[in-house]
Amino acid sequence: MFIDIPRELEAALINVPLPIWKLDGSVLAKSTMKRYRTELTATPQLEEIATTLRHALTGEGGGYAVLRLGNLAKALGNDDDRFLRLATSFAAEVAIPFSPFPRWPLWKDIGVKVDKDPGKSSGIGYNAFHMDLVNASLPPDYTSLLCVRPDPLGGGPSILSDAHAAVARLSEGSRALLAESGYHYGTFFDLHGVGEEYKPFPILDGSDPGEGFVRFTAKMLERSQLGQAHANAAKELAEELVRGQVSFMLQPGDYLIVNQRRFLHGREALHSGQETVPVADRRLLLQLFLRAPADHTSSA
């Protein structure tokens, strides 16, 4: 769902005095969240937008939302601290912002590196469907991406797919294999706030159909040693995810939030010729992870 901000609310938000945030370890401090909430609720139509946002993420058939903050980005400057505080305050309306990476601040830059593995988030190639921190016992409930600059050459649309809908289209045999702890991917180091390494793990990580994480990354098909039957089931899932995908181009100021308990995400390849684009002009996203409060996890 794309959510536009009413002009009256945009005008009010430009002048909202949001303070610099404080962290409690890796988590946005409760005092900051309380202050942000106080300031936002004083603005007209904010509660309506916040309710729409939460419903888009957790309501029936939902799982992702794009807040159109482009006008605010233009007014404040999309690289200005005030705009980032505003985006953070919207995130805090959904869940608790946190950073699982001690070496990174709250928001992590995802730029473009032409010499990076093309399939990585900062690479230039196709970034296949995946769940962030797939091998953590407590992965982020939400992942979010704030677009500072799209690909100036016109590539790199975001792709999303309803993971549980894709699973429902598989055969009973494939679903049974995906529910077995026969999968593993990647390494696990220098992380906090996301539990322990989960290895091996089931792709279908929930007792009830349509609930829980679908712990999948298409990269496991090429980069993990999987048993043939388990690999075939995962390949079928990858094909269904592509079949059911939605695709759109993020514009400056667009803020995408994905409920990882429902949707998987990725990115189409950037346009060829990235090496000709100055580093300062290349596509740039900022990523923020969110943790649902314990009493909301089952419904998120």
Side-chain angles (χ1 to χ4, degrees), residues 3 40 102 116 131 148-149 168 228 279 284 291 293 295:
I3 303 175
L40 287 189
K116 191 84 170 181
M131 176 186 130
V148 177
R149 288 188 303 273
Q228 192 61 52
V279 173
L284 176 61
R291 170 73 63 210
D295 58 339

Side-chain angles (χ1 to χ4, degrees), residues 5 10 13-14 16 18-19 21 36 40 67-91 107 145-149 251-256 284 286 288:
I5 308 298
E10 287 178 338
L13 289 173
I14 289 173
V16 170
L18 295 174
W21 63 69
Y36 283 3
L40 287 189
L67 274 173
R68 310 305 295 266
L69 305 179
N71 289 337
L72 290 164
K74 290 178 182 177
L76 297 173
N78 60 14
D79 57 351
D80 187 282
D81 285 345
R82 292 176 299 166
F83 178 64
L84 205 53
R85 289 176 214 164
L86 188 59
T88 305
S89 69
F90 273 110
W107 291 83
L145 296 165
L146 179 63
C147 180
V148 177
R149 288 188 303 273
Q251 300 301 321
D254 282 352
Y255 184 29
L256 168 64
L284 176 61
L286 302 180
L288 175 67

Side-chain angles (χ1 to χ4, degrees), residues 57-58 94-96 137-142 164 205 210-213 215 259-262 290-300:
L57 293 168
T58 64
V94 174
I96 303 170
S137 60
L138 295 173
D141 296 293
Y142 301 89
H164 290 288
D205 190 13
E211 296 294 334
F213 293 109
R215 290 179 175 272
N259 183 342
Q260 291 213 119
R261 291 179 178 271
R262 297 190 178 188
L290 307 173
R291 170 73 63 210
D295 58 339
H296 294 166
T297 300
S298 61
S299 63

Side-chain angles (χ1 to χ4, degrees), residues 66-298:
V66 179
L67 274 173
R68 310 305 295 266
L69 305 179
N71 289 337
L72 290 164
K74 290 178 182 177
L76 297 173
N78 60 14
D79 57 351
D80 187 282
D81 285 345
R82 292 176 299 166
F83 178 64
L84 205 53
R85 289 176 214 164
L86 188 59
T88 305
S89 69
F90 273 110
E93 289 291 316
V94 174
I96 303 170
F98 79 105
S99 173
F101 308 109
R103 63 190 181 278
W104 288 97
L106 192 60
W107 291 83
K108 176 186 176 183
D109 289 8
I110 300 180
V112 174
K113 299 178 181 178
V114 296
D115 57 349
K116 191 84 170 181
D117 179 343
K120 295 286 188 180
S121 58
S122 58
I124 62 175
Y126 175 66
N127 186 214
F129 281 114
H130 64 281
M131 176 186 130
D132 287 330
L133 297 174
V134 66
N135 61 339
S137 60
L138 295 173
D141 296 293
Y142 301 89
T143 185
S144 68
L145 296 165
L146 179 63
C147 180
V148 177
R149 288 188 303 273
D151 178 5
L153 300 180
S158 296
I159 55 174
L160 295 167
S161 192
D162 184 330
H164 290 288
V167 168
R169 295 193 293 269
L170 299 176
S171 68
E172 184 175 346
S174 291
R175 291 197 297 270
L177 286 165
L178 295 175
E180 295 178 359
S181 294
Y183 300 90
H184 56 92
Y185 174 78
T187 56
F188 192 92
F189 64 95
D190 200 19
L191 298 171
H192 57 193
V194 291
E196 306 295 330
E197 182 175 16
Y198 197 5
K199 181 180 179 179
F201 55 80
I203 287 179
L204 301 187
D205 190 13
S207 57
D208 298 320
E211 296 294 334
F213 293 109
V214 175
R215 290 179 175 272
F216 180 76
T217 171
K219 296 171 188 174
M220 68 170 61
L221 295 171
E222 297 180 356
R223 304 182 187 185
S224 299
Q225 295 296 319
L226 304 176
Q228 192 61 52
H230 289 99
N232 288 343
K235 183 178 179 181
E236 288 182 38
L237 175 56
E239 293 170 349
E240 287 299 331
L241 288 166
V242 172
R243 187 172 290 116
Q245 79 175 38
V246 294
S247 174
F248 48 82
M249 188 75 75
L250 293 175
Q251 300 301 321
D254 282 352
Y255 184 29
L256 168 64
I257 305 176
V258 181
N259 183 342
Q260 291 213 119
R261 291 179 178 271
R262 297 190 178 188
F263 271 70
L264 300 179
H265 67 285
R267 183 207 66 229
E268 298 285 3
L270 301 182
H271 198 282
S272 60
Q274 292 296 315
E275 66 280 355
T276 68
V277 180
V279 173
D281 295 335
R282 293 175 185 169
R283 183 178 191 260
L284 176 61
L285 304 180
L286 302 180
Q287 185 171 42
L288 175 67
F289 296 104
L290 307 173
R291 170 73 63 210
D295 58 339
H296 294 166
T297 300
S298 61

Side-chain angles (χ1 to χ4, degrees), residues 40-60:
L40 287 189
T41 53
T43 59
Q45 299 178 287
L46 185 283
E47 192 57 45
E48 179 182 342
I49 292 297
T51 298
T52 300
L53 175 60
R54 288 189 288 266
H55 181 75
L57 293 168
T58 64
E60 184 175 356

